[in-house]
Amino acid sequence: MTPQAAGVPVLGRRRVPGLRREEVAELAGVSTVYYTRLEQGRATNPSDSVLDALARVLRLDATERAHLYALARPPQHRAGESLSPEAQRVRPEVRRLLDAVGAVPAYVLDLDMDVLAANDLALALIPGSAGVPAGTLNIARYIFLDTEARSLYPHWEQVARQTVGFLRFSAARHAHQARLGHLVAELSDHSPEFRGWWAEQEVREKTHGAKTFDHPVVGRFDLAYETLALPGDEGQSLVVFTAPCGTAEGALKLLGSWAATSARQ
């Protein structure tokens, strides 16, 4: 948010292009001292009115507003809850659902973007993932650390930035989960792109959208995706890809045929 966009007079030399701390505080109707404490995490349980005022001043969208609330009111670690839980188990009913939608790629993700379960077409969609044990394929790690990902996704930077934004959005809601922190540290150490984009503080939800694939076997095609939270399975989401208006149906059929042939060999 620039001073011009916020209607703040620009006087003198400014070190940063955005609003100053005291300017944000004044526009939000709080004291600079209180806003500073809030920035530093020392103001406990800020009111909805304060957070709403900050969201208004900074013109946050719905995702950014939700992220602000998560940062201001971080989740508490519950007694008896493991900080480094084992890989989650996928219910048999969900596995049957994956098989039932076998005509389109579908898989179950956890908070760390680990693939907990997937149907054959989803595994065929990601080269080299077939036969990989459940829970060992991580979409974020694949995108940033596997060189094949840059070929699979023609718009790799767009996909990668979405992934960074989703991980930051998820991290604020599950700050006590050590595995997610370890993943962020690993990607920061090994990927300069991840490290730079993580520092930009952007947040995104991946509820739905579209991706372009350039598969080494069936070529280039577009798929739409929907991400659905699984009720009763906290932290698990079902991701289902579909062919928009039938444009990629032929590619999916060819991919399924190739996957079936490969499985028999």
Side-chain angles (χ1 to χ4, degrees), residues 115-144:
V115 177
L116 304 180
N119 61 17
D120 292 339
L121 201 54
L123 295 177
L125 186 62
I126 304 176
S129 63
V132 175
T136 59
L137 172 63
N138 181 277
I139 298 297
R141 190 177 287 113
Y142 173 78
I143 289 172
F144 281 97

Side-chain angles (χ1 to χ4, degrees), residues 17-247:
L19 292 174
R20 292 169 174 160
R21 180 180 290 118
E22 60 270 19
E23 292 168 342
V24 175
E26 181 178 357
L27 290 171
V30 298
S31 70
T32 302
V33 172
Y34 179 77
Y35 177 70
T36 301
R37 292 178 61 231
L38 187 62
E39 268 194 351
Q40 297 173 346
R42 296 187 292 114
T44 59
N45 197 30
S47 67
D48 287 353
S49 60
V50 168
L51 297 180
D52 286 343
L54 290 175
R56 172 182 51 78
V57 169
L58 300 176
R59 299 186 185 178
L60 304 185
D61 61 25
T63 299
E64 293 164 339
R65 181 184 291 265
H67 186 62
L68 172 65
Y69 269 80
L71 291 174
R73 298 168 181 171
Q76 300 298 314
H77 173 57
R78 296 188 293 269
E81 182 181 16
S82 174
L83 294 177
S84 300
E86 298 179 356
Q88 300 181 56
R89 295 181 178 180
V90 178
R91 290 184 289 113
E93 295 82 0
V94 176
R95 292 185 181 276
R96 289 197 293 269
L97 177 60
L98 289 175
D99 293 336
V101 295
V104 294
Y107 51 72
V108 176
L109 287 182
D110 67 4
L111 298 170
D112 309 326
M113 299 188 73
D114 284 335
V115 177
L116 304 180
N119 61 17
D120 292 339
L121 201 54
L123 295 177
L125 186 62
I126 304 176
S129 63
V132 175
T136 59
L137 172 63
N138 181 277
I139 298 297
R141 190 177 287 113
Y142 173 78
I143 289 172
F144 281 97
L145 303 185
D146 195 317
T147 56
E148 288 187 353
R150 296 176 187 256
S151 299
L152 180 64
Y153 302 111
H155 308 305
W156 179 84
E157 181 174 335
Q158 176 184 342
V159 173
R161 280 182 171 273
Q162 289 174 346
T163 300
V164 174
F166 173 77
L167 287 178
R168 181 170 282 284
F169 185 74
S170 182
R173 280 151 185 72
H174 308 277
H176 58 283
Q177 296 290 353
R179 290 178 62 225
L180 183 54
H182 293 329
L183 175 65
V184 170
E186 177 189 354
L187 296 178
S188 297
D189 287 342
H190 294 92
S191 171
E193 293 100 336
F194 181 91
R195 186 165 57 250
W197 293 332
W198 182 262
E200 292 180 2
Q201 307 277 341
E202 186 176 2
V203 293
R204 300 191 187 187
E205 285 188 280
K206 296 183 68 173
T207 54
H208 63 277
K211 285 184 180 178
T212 300
F213 295 85
D214 191 358
H215 197 275
V217 175
V218 300
R220 187 162 177 157
F221 55 93
D222 297 326
L223 293 178
Y225 69 86
E226 294 286 339
T227 303
L228 310 172
L230 294 175
D233 299 298
E234 185 178 358
Q236 294 186 12
S237 299
L238 175 66
V239 182
V240 181
F241 290 88
T242 58
C245 301
T247 55

